[in-house]
């Protein structure tokens, strides 16, 4: 069977996932950038996929599954035994066993032995045989397919080798006298959610304009390998993949990728595309796909990167690396709702803005109000505030990236008005301090009020901004020199106002030290 990439991401990622499984087992195949060809039947491919899924679980995983099934009427005792999750109850390297055996029956036999021994010694209230355990293991191993295609093997009561046979039967069931829409080689069945990943009922735009799509057993089974192409973000629900219709690109962009947040994926893209640009002189578009694999509420987000947006990522290479290194734990905001806190992931927001050619200042202004509120709540030590996270220094750094991309503005403008914001913060401090003493609550309130004034001005007219700036200059004796004044234009005042708003909120290093010293003096005087 020869699998060609089609431009349909679900199908192509299944083919790439199958290629990875063949590589894992050292199985022979022919390939170039756009196809793989293998000499195996669908049922043989299916067994390899199940084996690979089994190898990615631990012995403890299957031990707990077996125990929960055997002792479902006494779950408390089972939970007590497995309470210490760090303990490895089953000393078995499943990946090594799977690679060596390459046969599901043999793997299950090897796995059942230590499980039987452990349960016989620790749960003696109920009699069971090793065959009972093998039958359950067949069920649990084959049913791993249901994590990929919902209800692919829907009969939860079947045990033993019949479980595998039922899955094989599903490949061939309901085949019609219609040619497969993907390979154009074999007869197929209509696509549904239990036969294809994110089936077309949800994403009709990617289905060749055809009213009905058919899939043959060969193409169906390859789709069960799709999750092998994913990089999981610290759990089994959130996954990402960088997609381009080229097997070599898919491998170079995704292989060995280890990230915990989608934003970190940009480093791999930047590194690879810089090499491609140097070698080929051009860049081709690609997509980042993010999956939320909840059976009840699955979700898929697309980030489409054109040549222009990839070049923008390359421009921001140093800033993005610093962002995901220095601010990695500060890239989240939380807004309270009736169901709890809704999470805002700024990594996703940045990626989405760049992918859609949206100016990053729009993102900054979108969350600046939350940042000011959050900072106020932090300073007052408010418990369970309506807004938390959204750090000022993170938004200021994102604003810096905006100035890098907007060449008409330039970094001189950013640096100059960032410095002016800090100067203005110092003037506020001077106006409130007497003999070196200052009421920090009053100071913080003044600063937040000042930042809000510039935030409002950034959303108003040019005249409104100039009125705000003039009032502030007079009130705090904070004049602006002619060089800075020449930068203030009708096409730049919003960027400038936002920069001042963020900068005036940013603490100076010496200010932090002074505040800590004051706290120490007060504590020592008690």
């Amino acid at each position: 069977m020869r699998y060609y990439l089609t431009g349909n991401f679900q199908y192509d990622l299944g083919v790439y996932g199958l290629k990875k499984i063949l590589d894992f087992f050292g199985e022979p195949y022919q390939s170039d950038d756009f196809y793989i060809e293998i000499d195996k039947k669908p049922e043989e491919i299916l067994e390899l996929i199940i084996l690979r899924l089994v190898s990615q679980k631990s012995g403890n995983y299957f031990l707990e599954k077996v125990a929960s099934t055997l002792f479902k009427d006494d779950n408390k005792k089972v939970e007590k035994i497995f309470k210490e999750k760090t303990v490895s109850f089953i000393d078995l390297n499943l990946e090594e066993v799977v690679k060596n055996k390459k046969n599901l029956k043999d793997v299950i036999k090897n796995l059942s032995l230590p499980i039987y021994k452990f349960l016989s010694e620790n749960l003696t209230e109920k009699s069971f045989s090793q065959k009972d355990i093998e039958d359950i293991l067949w069920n649990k191993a084959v049913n791993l397919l249901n994590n990929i295609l919902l209800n692919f093997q829907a009969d939860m009561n079947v045990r033993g080798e019949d479980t595998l046979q039922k899955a094989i039967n599903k490949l061939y069931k309901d085949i019609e006298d219609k040619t497969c829409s993907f390979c154009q080689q074999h007869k197929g069945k209509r696509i549904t959610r239990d036969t294809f990943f994110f089936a077309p009922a949800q994403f009709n735009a990617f289905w060749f304009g055809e009213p009905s799509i058919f899939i043959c057993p060969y193409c169906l089974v390859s789709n069960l390998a799709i999750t092998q192409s994913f990089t999981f973000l610290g759990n089994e629900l959130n996954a990402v993949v960088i997609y381009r219709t080229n097997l070599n690109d898919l491998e170079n962009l995704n292989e060995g990728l280890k990230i915990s947040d989608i934003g970190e994926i940009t480093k791999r893209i930047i590194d690879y595309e810089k090499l491609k640009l140097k070698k080929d002189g051009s860049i081709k578009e690609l997509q980042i796909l993010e999956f939320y694999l909840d059976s009840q509420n699955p979700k898929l987000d697309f980030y489409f990167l054109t040549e222009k947006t990839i070049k923008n990522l390359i421009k921001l290479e140093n800033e993005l690396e610093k962002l995901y290194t220095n601010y990695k734990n500060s890239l989240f905001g939380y807004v309270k709702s009736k169901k709890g806190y809704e999470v805002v992931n700024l990594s996703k927001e940045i990626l989405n803005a760049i992918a859609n050619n949206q100016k990053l200042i729009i993102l900054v202004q979108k969350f600046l109000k939350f940042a000011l509120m959050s900072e106020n709540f932090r300073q007052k030590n408010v418990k369970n505030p309506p807004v938390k996270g959204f750090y000022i220094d993170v938004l200021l750094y994102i604003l810096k990236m905006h100035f890098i991309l907007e060449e008409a503005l330039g970094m001189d403008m950013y640096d100059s008005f960032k410095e002016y914001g800090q100067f203005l913060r110092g003037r506020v401090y001077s106006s409130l301090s007497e003999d070196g003493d200052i009421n920090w609550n009053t100071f913080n309130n003044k600063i937040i009020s000042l930042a809000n004034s510039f935030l409002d001005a950034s959303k108003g007219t040019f005249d409104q901004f100039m009125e705000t700036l003039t009032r502030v200059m007079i009130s705090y004796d904070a004049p602006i020199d002619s060089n800075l004044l020449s930068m203030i234009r009708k096409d730049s005042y919003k960027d400038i106002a936002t920069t001042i708003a963020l900068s005036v909120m940013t603490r100076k290093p010496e200010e932090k030290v002074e505040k800590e010293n004051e706290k120490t003096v007060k504590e020592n005087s008690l």
Side-chain angles (χ1 to χ4, degrees):
M1 170 65 181
R2 178 172 285 198
Y3 294 94
Y4 283 99
L5 300 188
T6 64
N8 173 277
F9 79 87
Q10 293 105 311
Y11 183 78
D12 291 354
L13 292 177
V15 173
Y16 171 53
L18 177 56
K19 180 181 181 295
K20 290 187 69 174
I21 289 174
L22 296 172
D23 288 336
F24 174 79
F25 287 107
E27 292 288 318
Y29 63 89
Q30 293 182 352
S31 176
D32 69 4
D33 286 350
F34 302 103
Y35 81 88
I36 63 169
E37 183 174 341
I38 58 175
D39 184 19
K40 286 188 181 296
K41 296 177 181 178
E43 51 266 40
E44 294 174 308
I45 299 171
L46 182 68
E47 185 169 356
L48 285 178
I49 292 170
I50 295 170
L51 283 166
R52 183 62 179 125
L53 293 171
V54 168
S55 75
Q56 292 169 322
K57 299 293 184 181
S58 65
N60 275 8
Y61 170 86
F62 286 105
L63 171 62
E64 292 187 38
K65 292 293 183 183
V66 170
S68 297
T69 303
L70 278 175
F71 299 91
K72 57 185 176 184
D73 297 328
D74 194 6
N75 275 334
K76 287 186 178 179
K77 181 149 192 171
V78 173
E79 287 173 6
K80 185 177 179 181
I81 290 176
F82 298 116
K83 190 175 182 180
E84 185 52 67
K85 293 282 185 182
T86 57
V87 176
S88 181
F89 299 111
I90 302 299
D91 186 19
L92 184 70
N93 187 329
L94 260 182
E95 184 170 300
E96 188 177 304
V97 171
V98 167
K99 260 189 174 180
N100 291 336
K101 299 295 182 182
K102 279 201 288 191
N103 178 284
L104 192 55
K105 187 173 183 178
D106 290 343
V107 169
I108 285 174
K109 177 74 73 176
N110 275 260
L111 182 56
S112 68
L113 286 168
I115 291 178
Y116 176 72
K117 183 176 184 296
F118 179 88
L119 293 179
S120 297
E121 293 173 354
N122 292 276
L123 291 167
T124 58
E125 294 84 356
K126 185 174 181 178
S127 62
F128 51 87
S129 66
Q130 187 177 331
K131 177 66 165 56
D132 293 329
I133 291 172
E134 288 180 18
D135 287 346
I136 296 171
L137 285 173
W138 276 102
N139 175 277
K140 300 305 178 185
V142 175
N143 286 347
L144 291 173
L145 298 170
N146 291 338
N147 296 334
I148 304 164
L149 300 182
L150 182 65
N151 291 331
F152 177 79
Q153 207 303 84
D155 190 347
M156 296 294 105
N157 295 317
V158 66
R159 295 283 187 272
E161 293 186 55
D162 287 345
T163 318
L164 177 59
Q165 189 55 51
K166 279 218 166 191
I168 292 171
N169 293 344
K170 179 67 172 282
L171 296 176
Y172 295 95
K173 187 180 178 183
D174 300 324
I175 298 294
E176 300 182 25
D177 189 25
K178 298 285 187 178
T179 303
C180 176
S181 303
F182 298 97
C183 68
Q184 303 290 324
Q185 297 178 54
H186 305 282
K187 300 299 180 184
K189 67 172 85 178
R190 292 177 188 272
I191 282 181
T192 55
R193 279 193 70 187
D194 62 344
T195 59
F196 206 73
F197 186 79
F198 275 82
Q202 297 160 293
F203 297 102
N204 289 306
F206 294 86
W207 295 88
F208 318 117
E210 296 292 334
S212 296
I213 307 300
F214 295 87
I215 190 165
C216 70
Y218 280 99
C219 293
L220 194 167
V221 77
S222 74
N223 198 240
L224 285 163
I226 190 170
T227 55
Q228 299 304 310
S229 68
F230 297 169
T231 296
F232 286 89
L233 303 178
N235 57 57
E236 294 184 351
L237 292 179
N238 289 90
V240 296
V241 65
I242 308 169
Y243 170 66
R244 182 180 279 156
T245 314
N246 182 298
L247 287 170
N248 185 54
D249 285 345
L250 281 169
E251 190 162 27
N252 286 318
L253 286 165
N254 294 284
E255 188 65 28
L257 190 61
K258 294 181 179 179
I259 59 174
S260 58
D261 185 87
I262 190 170
E264 297 169 50
I265 210 169
T266 54
K267 177 171 174 51
R268 175 65 66 89
I269 293 172
I270 290 168
D271 289 345
Y272 184 64
E273 293 305 316
K274 281 171 63 181
L275 291 174
K276 293 283 285 185
L277 187 61
K278 187 175 181 180
K279 179 182 177 184
D280 303 332
S282 63
I283 291 174
K284 295 180 181 178
E285 61 194 30
L286 56 79
Q287 295 175 55
I288 299 172
L289 308 175
E290 183 182 19
F291 302 94
Y292 184 64
L293 305 176
D294 187 327
S295 60
Q296 301 301 317
N297 187 29
K299 186 181 177 184
L300 170 60
D301 289 325
F302 293 88
Y303 304 90
F304 188 78
L305 302 184
T306 62
E307 179 180 356
K308 179 182 177 181
T309 52
I310 292 172
K311 286 182 176 178
N312 280 342
L313 285 177
I314 293 173
K315 280 184 185 178
L316 296 174
E317 178 180 9
N318 293 332
E319 282 65 34
L320 287 169
E321 185 168 352
K322 288 178 183 176
L323 183 73
Y324 298 122
T325 302
N326 300 341
Y327 300 103
K328 185 174 182 178
N329 297 321
S330 304
L331 294 172
F332 295 90
Y334 305 88
V335 181
K336 187 177 282 188
S337 68
K338 291 180 180 179
K339 297 180 180 179
Y341 281 104
E342 293 184 8
V343 181
V344 176
N345 184 339
L346 290 177
S347 292
K348 291 180 66 171
E349 296 287 341
I350 293 168
L351 188 58
N352 189 57
I354 292 173
N356 288 293
N357 284 312
Q358 183 186 72
K359 291 185 177 183
L360 288 175
I361 192 172
I362 296 174
L363 184 156
V364 172
Q365 291 177 332
K366 178 180 177 182
F367 296 113
L368 182 48
K369 202 75 173 180
F370 284 150
L372 295 176
M373 292 169 61
S374 183
E375 180 64 24
N376 191 30
F377 293 136
R378 276 193 294 273
Q379 290 172 0
K380 294 179 179 179
N381 294 316
V382 176
K383 293 183 178 180
N384 301 315
V387 177
K388 57 184 181 179
F390 298 109
Y391 294 95
I392 294 292
D393 50 352
V394 172
L395 292 182
L396 187 59
Y397 200 80
I398 297 172
L399 187 63
K400 178 184 178 182
M401 293 192 285
H402 163 73
F403 276 87
I404 290 172
L405 293 179
E406 299 299 319
E407 295 178 359
L409 299 175
M411 286 304 296
D412 282 347
M413 183 182 292
Y414 170 80
D415 291 334
S416 297
F417 283 98
K418 179 184 173 185
E419 184 178 329
Y420 179 73
Q422 287 284 279
F423 170 67
L424 192 54
R425 184 180 179 92
R427 297 302 299 156
V428 174
Y429 178 90
S430 298
S431 70
L432 294 174
S433 63
E434 295 179 8
D435 300 323
D437 294 327
I438 187 168
N439 185 313
W440 286 106
N441 286 332
T442 303
F443 174 76
N444 290 332
N445 290 336
K446 284 275 188 183
I447 288 295
I448 290 173
S449 175
L450 192 57
N452 271 312
S453 296
F454 279 104
L455 175 60
D456 292 339
S458 73
K459 299 173 183 177
T461 64
F462 177 74
D463 290 340
Q464 288 171 329
F465 166 73
M466 291 303 297
E467 183 182 328
T468 299
L469 182 60
T470 302
R471 186 177 68 251
V472 169
M473 289 166 60
I474 295 170
S475 299
Y476 294 103
D477 189 21
I480 287 182
D481 64 34
S482 58
N483 183 43
L484 266 65
L485 281 172
S486 68
M487 296 182 185
I488 302 174
R489 309 182 302 267
K490 288 187 177 181
D491 64 344
S492 67
Y493 77 92
K494 293 185 177 183
D495 310 84
I496 290 169
T498 306
T499 305
I500 296 173
L502 283 166
S503 180
V504 81
M505 285 292 299
T506 304
R507 293 181 185 178
K508 296 181 176 182
E510 63 271 18
E511 184 183 309
K512 296 176 185 177
V513 172
E514 187 174 339
K515 200 168 184 179
E516 284 300 313
N517 290 340
E518 182 179 307
K519 181 181 177 183
T520 303
V521 170
K522 285 183 178 179
E523 288 174 349
N524 291 338
S525 65
L526 295 176

